[in-house]
Amino acid sequence: MVIAGFAGCGKTTFCEKNPGDAIDLVCMPFKYSDFYEVAGSLKEGEKIKANERLMLRENWELYYYWMIRYLLWYSPERQIVIPTIRKIMEFLTADYIPYTVVYPERERKEEYEGRYRNRGDSESFLDVFIGRWDDMLDGLEQYGKKQIALQEGQYLSDVVSCMPTDDVYMSRQLVRFAEHLTQETSLAKKLRELREKFPEKAEKGQCAAEETEEYKWQENQSEGIQTDCYDEDKLCAVLYYEPICEEDILDDFVWIESKKELQLLLERAEEKPLYTLKVSVLLMEMVKDKPKYREVVYRKNTENRWNRDV
């Protein structure tokens, strides 16, 4: 089940009260391409939210929605808690996935400003959520299967309950996933190191493809992976190791923003005996003037070629 909660409604507290049964799927690691670098360099007292050093990742909503879909498949009975991101909610609606929207009553502006200041949010953050209060709330009642308007002093925990599950192993897996969500995976670390290795060729986070003494281009690494992109290099995809055991959660993945990045990583991806290396190409299409999400998955066969996963 998906719960879309407005900023300051108590999403993190709700998930902390229900570990293993609710997942606080924070969007910032998906939204910003340099999230890990900025988070690791923060000075004492400095906040990551609305930090001016963060670089917005193009089409980040596709990566974020991919993770929502994965968690719904992995553990559909758990609560997946997300912010009220309109494009994400439109994807959910288009895919007929029910979700609940939780937001404050419009007259709670002063109360929520106090909540934001008490938790140390930056002035840039307040400029958006308080400075554009009415704009942020407009139309939220039209989203979701169920809508809940929080009254004075109410939080998410007051209006939504979490049913405990008996699957202890899966609950532990989800707790571990939540703990590592804001940490750099091994694939993400490898990509960052590759970007640093070719700084003079990088542009907007994309790695170089030209042949150099250090790097020889190998076309066959990504042979068979096709996209609908008109740009010869642009790509929105996820490279990940899928565990063989379905009870084990995904724990090593990276967001790919260009075909060059994918090529570099495929050449250097390690073999993991208990995992299957996959590439998920993420596409967004407009259907009746509304965004529609589509995913095409590829897996490597024994001949080292990529086949579409059925």
Side-chain angles (χ1 to χ4, degrees):
M1 179 179 178
V2 179
I3 300 172
F6 195 81
C9 75
K11 298 187 292 293
T12 300
T13 301
F14 174 78
C15 293
E16 288 175 348
K17 289 180 177 179
N18 300 279
D21 295 312
I23 305 171
D24 185 12
L25 192 59
V26 293
C27 67
M28 294 190 71
F30 304 83
K31 189 173 183 178
Y32 301 106
S33 58
D34 60 344
F35 172 81
Y36 299 112
E37 292 91 327
V38 174
S41 63
L42 291 178
K43 299 176 182 178
E44 185 176 353
E46 188 179 5
K47 294 292 182 180
I48 188 71
K49 287 186 177 179
N51 192 291
E52 294 180 354
R53 288 180 287 163
L54 292 169
M55 294 176 58
L56 187 67
R57 174 181 280 124
E58 187 177 1
N59 294 322
W60 69 270
E61 296 96 338
L62 294 178
Y63 302 111
Y64 189 63
Y65 189 62
W66 181 87
M67 187 58 76
I68 294 173
R69 290 276 299 266
Y70 171 79
L71 290 171
L72 284 170
W73 169 84
Y74 178 76
S75 187
E77 70 278 9
R78 264 72 172 187
Q79 306 274 23
I80 302 171
V81 183
I82 66 172
T84 49
I85 303 167
R86 296 182 189 242
K87 185 173 288 185
I88 297 298
M89 293 190 292
E90 289 171 359
F91 284 155
L92 290 167
T93 300
D95 285 339
Y96 302 100
I97 297 174
Y99 60 99
T100 298
V101 184
V102 181
Y103 53 89
E105 294 177 326
R106 197 170 291 267
E107 55 266 32
R108 304 298 160 211
K109 180 178 181 179
E110 185 175 339
E111 178 183 349
Y112 275 73
E113 181 176 359
R115 292 187 186 188
Y116 300 151
R117 293 191 182 278
N118 288 339
R119 71 183 191 183
D121 284 327
S122 66
E123 289 300 321
S124 298
F125 182 90
L126 268 71
D127 287 343
V128 175
F129 283 92
I130 297 301
R132 297 175 50 210
W133 176 259
D134 288 329
D135 292 338
M136 298 298 287
L137 289 175
D138 281 348
L140 286 183
E141 70 279 356
Q142 299 176 12
Y143 287 96
K145 183 177 180 180
K146 182 179 180 182
Q147 303 80 30
I148 301 175
L150 296 177
Q151 301 175 5
E152 182 179 0
Q154 280 191 324
Y155 289 87
L156 181 60
S157 299
D158 298 317
V159 297
V160 175
S161 60
C162 210
M163 296 296 293
T165 56
D166 297 328
D167 194 330
V168 177
Y169 180 80
M170 189 169 287
S171 293
R172 288 176 179 171
Q173 290 278 303
L174 288 167
V175 169
R176 184 167 65 88
F177 172 82
E179 290 174 348
H180 290 85
L181 185 61
T182 56
Q183 298 178 12
E184 199 173 35
T185 66
S186 65
L187 281 173
K189 181 180 179 182
K190 189 181 293 291
L191 178 58
R192 176 172 55 80
E193 291 171 348
L194 289 169
R195 288 172 173 169
E196 293 171 355
K197 188 175 181 180
F198 303 101
E200 73 284 357
K201 304 292 185 180
E203 182 179 356
K204 296 182 180 180
Q206 296 182 352
C207 297
E210 290 91 348
E211 291 190 2
T212 67
E213 291 183 2
E214 293 182 273
Y215 172 63
K216 297 298 182 181
W217 184 248
Q218 299 177 29
E219 285 292 340
N220 65 338
Q221 288 293 324
S222 58
E223 186 176 351
I225 300 176
Q226 300 178 351
T227 74
D228 290 348
C229 298
Y230 294 104
D231 189 310
E232 63 180 19
D233 184 54
K234 185 177 178 181
L235 181 67
C236 188
V238 186
L239 178 67
Y240 62 100
Y241 289 104
E242 182 183 71
I244 292 176
C245 179
E246 288 190 355
E247 293 184 351
D248 290 339
I249 199 167
L250 188 74
D251 63 1
D252 198 357
F253 50 87
V254 65
W255 316 129
I256 304 295
E257 299 177 55
S258 76
K259 296 175 185 176
K260 298 168 189 175
E261 286 185 342
L262 177 61
Q263 182 74 30
L264 286 168
L265 275 172
L266 289 178
E267 291 177 8
R268 293 157 176 81
E270 301 174 2
E271 291 290 337
K272 290 190 176 184
L274 299 180
Y275 293 79
T276 302
L277 188 62
K278 288 189 173 184
V279 175
S280 182
V281 178
L282 312 179
L283 305 166
M284 185 178 68
E285 303 168 331
M286 297 303 293
V287 179
K288 296 181 179 179
D289 296 328
K290 293 185 178 180
K292 176 71 175 175
Y293 169 92
R294 186 162 67 90
E295 176 186 8
V296 183
V297 182
Y298 297 88
R299 70 162 66 213
K300 228 173 190 179
N301 62 21
T302 55
E303 298 177 351
N304 210 33
R305 292 173 62 89
W306 292 91
N307 291 335
R308 189 162 175 170
D309 202 13
V310 179

